[in-house]
């Protein structure tokens, strides 16, 4: 009204001819004309304001049904609007929500619920049924499903989650209005729910164990536990959670702050870690005092996710049988060699989606992080063993490579770094031309797909090459560029906010994987660890010292015999597989797999584990209450089985004190504890014989890899640690036997170590030397052939020194040099 009264209509007077219009434009700007221009700007601003009002009003009208049940939708909408629209959206939303609050929906009559049938869930209390009858509830509603309100719940989202139809919220409201809540109140407003209130859902509702199951009581007294009959009742009362559906399984793995990778990339990283370990063990030397090697956080997260994906189906069946809630297992990864770049609706999107004509501009704050994740995905998909060629090759400039992946090894497969953008274009174009020539000549074209990744400053030929991009052959990407045909604007978390271009549907409604610089450095170290390693300095046997007298030996062994006599009758063995021995006789473990894993992880950590570490290692629910309840059930299950096995009704077996779970050392002995104690005693032994006695005790209980046959994700690093210690103990004990002129015993120990680690070249060298000493050159050559066969599996071959030692037939020079490497 102010604009209309002050300046009337915003239109200028009509011009009669072009000459009249030219004269007007040549006139100087007068005060009336300036006022008219300001009025015109005011009218434009008013038009923009009116358009925004209509736009926001239209949005709230379209979402009015959802706003009735979910008032948080208004706050979520305010987070998505721009700053100019924020005030208008706030005002209109306040008006709409206030109007909805005044118009409370009337209570639906129970007759509208005639389709509800008799439930199979818990029946209603008697007082609730009588109250319902007083309110003329339909007699067909005889029972219902109980639900406890949680923070953030509304009738709308409860109906959507448990009835698969949010419009059915009045049914929940009608069934719950007569209930007296724990705080004495009643449900009188469908928009006001208090956490802790109880609701009744229709009988066809599907429930979640996290919603209604109360926590089981637990007695954590170290010495006094409830009778076995009580624990059996508790076992029968354990709830069976529904198996996670395919849509609930995560497809992207967090590996650090602001970093997400696909499950296929995680599988490739896990394969690289496994090969790096095998290569590192090729030249490993006994190192008893070494601490347990820990993977970096990003590599550990990727490795554990890959292991969990491998046992996803087993996890589901195990959790369903044991009545515990596992975290949704990751989806199965794509076939080896497949590169994925994004995810949509819980499904990985392959890199071929970006190989579209015209190429892609990656813009926005998440573009560099997405490029890093794409580079890591390509490197992880490259075969770890040559001469197999990678299926995908990344072509970048040296400058961009140093920016995205600093410190990358120069000979990593799957990556080509050009001097500049022009050279990168020539490399990609040469592959395209070669593929075309092969097609014309009738030859099989290469299956290698090139990914050309460049900065914003593209050469003029880039658009032409991008136009020829084809799925499975070439993809052209530009970070923060604007010269290619398709554009994807990425948020900081990788979400594709909007796309444009003829092929924009390839990334619409998706999210690209992203990596921050710090996790990228950790993953680079894992992916480049498969490169050939330089041989470490030759190993020297421990210096031979005078053997202690008999009295010293007898004094040293007396405490060990006393300790052995004082060991509990129940022993848990993990080396070579989980086994339970009662007074040196193996007993059958008739417990569920989840309880076995719980018992195994406690036996592998004699000092105990905190609840948080246990929950994470066993992949229990993210809900703390549910996870605590599952740990209670697991403790009770293991206690019941062990009491039945031993006949003891008072032993605790598992202690839970100060938020730490551990096995009771007075009731259970573990061979892991024996092994670690013996290794620790060997490192501190003052005399070689005492050291040898401790090493023999450690090797007596090592029958193979930890939890062999059970692919528990938490056991991966622990298994490698104990395996390295056992090999070191065998080599050290063999050196001790050689120093005491017992080559046959040394040969037996080294053969055990070679069976445990067949690619260790230093062990095979020792074995071949002993065979030559014993006059068995054919046996030395057989050892060499066995070593060659195992090294071929990791794309390696024996060194020249090993070859000379195998075929020199007791050459004096070779034997002399080898003796120098192992003698003091």
């Amino acid at each position: 009204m102010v604009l209309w009264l002050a300046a009337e209509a915003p239109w200028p007077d009509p011009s009669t001819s072009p000459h009249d219009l030219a004269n007007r434009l040549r006139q100087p700007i007068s005060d009336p004309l300036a006022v008219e221009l300001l009025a015109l700007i005011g009218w434009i601003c008013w038009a923009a304001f009116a358009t925004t009002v209509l736009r926001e009003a239209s949005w709230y009208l379209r979402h009015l049904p959802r706003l009735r049940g979910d008032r948080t939708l208004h706050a979520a909408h305010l987070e998505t609007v721009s700053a100019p629209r924020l005030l208008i959206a706030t005002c209109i939303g306040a008006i709409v929500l206030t109007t909805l609050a005044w118009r409370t929906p009337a209570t639906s009559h129970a007759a509208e619920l005639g389709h509800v049938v008799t439930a199979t869930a818990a029946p209603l209390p008697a007082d609730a049924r009588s109250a319902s009858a007083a309110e003329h509830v339909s007699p067909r509603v005889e029972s219902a499903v109980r639900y406890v309100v949680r923070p953030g719940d509304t009738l709308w989202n409860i109906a959507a989650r448990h009835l698969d139809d949010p419009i059915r919220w009045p049914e929940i409201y009608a069934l719950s209005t007569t209930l007296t809540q724990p705080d004495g109140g009643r449900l009188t407003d469908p928009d006001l729910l208090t956490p802790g209130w109880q609701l009744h859902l229709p009988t066809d509702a599907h429930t979640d164990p996290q919603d209604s199951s109360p926590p089981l009581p637990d007695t954590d007294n170290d010495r006094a536990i409830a009778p076995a009959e009580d624990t059996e009742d508790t076992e029968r009362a354990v709830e069976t959670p529904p198996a996670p559906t395919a849509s609930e399984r995560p497809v992207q793995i967090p590996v650090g702050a602001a970093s997400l990778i696909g499950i296929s990339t995680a599988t490739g990283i896990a394969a690289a870690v496994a090969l790096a370990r095998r290569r590192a063990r090729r030249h490993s030397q006994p190192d008893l005092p070494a601490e347990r090697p820990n993977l970096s956080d990003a590599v550990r997260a990727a490795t554990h996710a890959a292991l969990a994906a491998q046992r996803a189906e087993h996890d589901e069946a195990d959790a369903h049988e044991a009545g515990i809630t596992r975290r949704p297992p990751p989806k199965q990864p794509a076939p080896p060699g497949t590169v994925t770049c994004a995810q949509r609706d819980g499904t990985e999107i392959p890199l071929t989606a970006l190989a579209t004509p015209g190429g892609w501009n990656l813009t926005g704050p998440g573009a560099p992080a997405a490029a890093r994740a794409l580079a890591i995905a390509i490197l992880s998909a490259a075969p770890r063993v040559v001469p197999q060629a990678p299926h995908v090759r990344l072509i970048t400039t040296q400058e961009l490579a140093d920016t995205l992946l600093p410190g990358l090894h120069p000979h990593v497969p799957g990556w080509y770094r050009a001097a500049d953008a022009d050279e990168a274009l020539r490399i990609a174009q040469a592959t395209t031309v070669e593929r075309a020539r092969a097609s014309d000549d009738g030859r099989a074209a290469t299956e290698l797909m090139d990914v050309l990744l460049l900065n914003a400053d593209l050469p003029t030929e880039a658009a032409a090459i991008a136009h020829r991009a084809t799925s499975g052959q070439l993809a052209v990407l530009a970070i923060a560029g604007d010269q290619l045909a398709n554009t994807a604007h990425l948020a900081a978390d990788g979400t594709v906010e909007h796309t444009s271009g003829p092929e924009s549907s390839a990334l619409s409604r998706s999210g690209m994987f992203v990596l921050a610089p710090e996790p990228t450095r950790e993953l680079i170290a894992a992916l480049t660890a498969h490169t050939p390693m330089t041989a470490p300095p030759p190993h020297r046997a421990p210096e031979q010292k005078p053997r202690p007298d008999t009295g010293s030996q007898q004094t040293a062994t007396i405490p060990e015999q006393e300790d052995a006599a004082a060991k509990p009758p129940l022993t848990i063995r993990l080396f070579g597989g989980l086994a339970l021995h009662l007074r040196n006789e193996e007993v059958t473990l008739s417990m569920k797999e989840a309880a076995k894993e719980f018992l195994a992880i406690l036996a592998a950590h004699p000092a105990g584990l905190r609840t948080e570490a246990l929950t994470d290692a066993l992949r229990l629910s993210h809900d703390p209450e549910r996870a605590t309840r599952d740990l209670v059930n697991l403790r009770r299950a293991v206690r019941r089985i062990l009491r039945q096995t031993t006949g003891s009704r008072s032993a605790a077996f598992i202690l839970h004190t100060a938020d730490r779970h551990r096995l009771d050392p007075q009731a259970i002995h573990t061979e892991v504890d024996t092994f670690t104690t013996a290794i620790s005693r060997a490192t501190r032994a003052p005399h070689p014989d005492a050291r040898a006695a401790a090493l023999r005790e450690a090797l007596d209980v090592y029958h193979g890899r930890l939890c062999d046959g059970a692919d528990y994700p938490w056991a991966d690093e622990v298994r490698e640690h104990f395996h390295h210690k056992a090999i070191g103990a065998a080599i050290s004990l063999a050196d001790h036997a050689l120093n005491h002129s017992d080559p046959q015993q040394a040969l037996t120990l080294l053969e055990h170590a070679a069976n445990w680690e067949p690619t260790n070249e230093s062990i095979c060298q020792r074995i071949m030397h002993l065979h030559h000493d014993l006059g068995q050159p054919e046996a030395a050559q057989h050892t060499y052939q066995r070593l060659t066969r195992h090294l071929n599996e990791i794309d390696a071959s024996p060194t020249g020194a090993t070859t000379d030692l195998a075929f020199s037939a007791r050459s004096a020079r070779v034997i002399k040099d080898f003796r120098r490497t192992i003698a003091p």
Side-chain angles (χ1 to χ4, degrees), residues 335-702:
T338 304
V339 180
T340 59
C341 59
Q343 66 89 20
R344 181 192 296 118
D345 298 331
T347 303
E348 287 187 293
I349 300 177
L351 180 61
T352 53
L354 296 179
T356 55
W360 282 86
N361 301 307
L362 302 181
T363 63
R372 283 193 207 95
L374 180 61
I376 290 294
I378 294 175
L379 296 184
S380 65
R384 305 262 72 84
V385 180
V386 295
Q388 299 180 11
H391 299 288
V392 181
R393 178 178 60 173
L394 182 62
I395 304 174
T396 62
T397 62
Q398 182 65 46
E399 180 183 2
L400 184 58
D402 294 339
T403 302
L404 294 179
L405 303 183
L408 185 66
H409 194 277
H411 303 297
V412 171
W415 185 295
Y416 184 89
R417 283 167 283 188
D420 52 25
D422 293 331
E423 182 184 354
L425 290 175
R426 287 195 298 270
I427 296 299
Q429 193 170 16
T431 306
T432 304
V433 172
E434 177 60 27
R435 188 179 284 111
R437 289 177 178 174
S439 178
D440 294 340
D441 297 342
R443 295 182 286 110
T446 177
E447 297 181 356
L448 177 65
M449 175 181 173
D450 283 337
V451 179
L452 185 59
L453 180 62
L454 301 173
N455 277 321
D457 299 331
L458 298 178
T460 55
E461 299 85 357
I465 295 180
H467 182 71
R468 294 192 294 271
T470 308
S471 178
Q473 297 183 2
L474 176 64
V476 181
L477 309 175
I479 303 177
D482 59 358
Q483 303 177 30
L484 302 180
N486 305 292
T487 300
H489 186 83
L490 309 180
D493 61 352
T495 303
V496 180
E497 294 183 332
H498 58 80
T499 58
S500 62
E503 304 292 339
S504 59
S505 60
L507 286 180
S508 61
R509 300 181 296 102
S510 65
M512 295 193 69
F513 304 129
V514 293
L515 272 177
E518 184 60 30
T520 302
R521 285 190 288 269
E522 298 175 0
L523 297 179
I524 289 175
L527 293 173
T528 57
H530 69 281
T531 53
M533 299 175 58
T534 58
H539 170 68
R540 294 184 178 272
E543 182 180 357
Q544 182 176 1
K545 297 182 180 180
R547 301 180 63 179
D549 56 12
T550 307
S552 300
Q553 295 182 25
Q554 186 174 3
T555 303
T557 56
I558 289 177
E560 296 177 10
Q561 295 175 358
E562 292 179 354
D563 291 343
K567 289 180 180 178
L570 192 62
T571 301
I572 297 179
R573 295 183 177 179
L574 294 184
F575 297 119
L578 177 62
L580 193 66
H581 289 253
L582 181 62
R583 298 179 181 88
N584 297 326
E585 293 185 5
E586 185 172 357
V587 295
T588 303
L589 280 175
S590 58
M591 64 174 61
K592 298 174 182 177
E593 189 63 30
K596 285 184 179 180
E597 184 177 2
F598 180 69
L599 180 61
I601 192 173
L602 292 181
H605 299 82
L609 289 172
R610 298 186 66 85
T611 300
E612 182 180 359
L614 263 179
T615 300
D616 185 64
L618 297 177
R619 308 170 304 286
L620 298 181
S621 173
H622 288 288
D623 181 14
E625 294 184 2
R626 178 71 228 191
T628 301
R629 189 159 54 245
D630 288 339
L631 286 177
V632 170
N633 292 337
L634 288 173
R635 285 200 303 270
R636 289 181 179 274
V638 172
R639 283 169 177 165
R640 182 174 66 88
I641 296 299
L642 295 183
R643 284 171 180 165
Q644 292 176 353
T645 302
T646 60
S648 173
R649 298 175 60 85
S650 60
F653 295 110
I654 299 177
L655 306 180
H656 181 206
T657 56
D659 198 35
R660 179 176 291 273
H661 296 72
R662 63 186 179 95
L663 297 179
D664 186 354
Q666 299 182 12
I668 300 177
H669 170 70
T670 65
E671 290 192 343
V672 170
D673 191 17
T674 301
F675 182 87
T676 54
T677 303
I679 293 293
S680 177
R681 191 167 63 251
T683 59
R684 301 191 306 267
H687 302 292
D689 287 346
R691 174 186 173 93
L695 293 178
R696 289 192 192 96
E697 183 181 354
L699 291 181
D700 286 342
V701 299
Y702 190 82

Side-chain angles (χ1 to χ4, degrees), residues 38 56 58 144 157 261 317 382 417 534 581 633 740 783 810-811:
L38 292 176
E56 291 301 322
S58 174
N157 58 35
I261 61 173
R417 283 167 283 188
T534 58
H581 289 253
N633 292 337
H740 287 71
T783 301
R810 299 182 57 82
S811 168

Side-chain angles (χ1 to χ4, degrees), residues 108-113 129-141 174 178:
S108 301
H109 194 271
E112 298 177 1
L113 308 179
R129 286 199 298 268
S130 61
S132 299
E135 294 291 335
H136 306 287
V137 177
S138 173
R140 283 173 290 184
V141 184
T178 58

Side-chain angles (χ1 to χ4, degrees), residues 126-164:
D127 57 343
R129 286 199 298 268
S130 61
S132 299
E135 294 291 335
H136 306 287
V137 177
S138 173
R140 283 173 290 184
V141 184
E142 298 177 357
S143 59
V145 177
R146 182 176 301 170
Y147 177 85
V148 179
V149 177
R150 295 179 295 182
D153 274 347
T154 63
L155 293 180
W156 179 276
N157 58 35
I158 293 174
R161 190 166 62 248
H162 297 282
L163 301 178
D164 297 326

Side-chain angles (χ1 to χ4, degrees), residues 66-95:
R66 291 185 59 188
L67 287 168
R68 290 175 177 171
D70 186 5
R71 302 300 170 84
T72 61
L73 185 62
H74 166 65
H77 175 64
L78 295 181
E79 296 178 358
T80 62
V81 299
S82 59
R85 295 170 50 191
L86 182 60
L87 179 60
I88 299 174
T90 303
C91 295
I92 296 179
I95 295 173

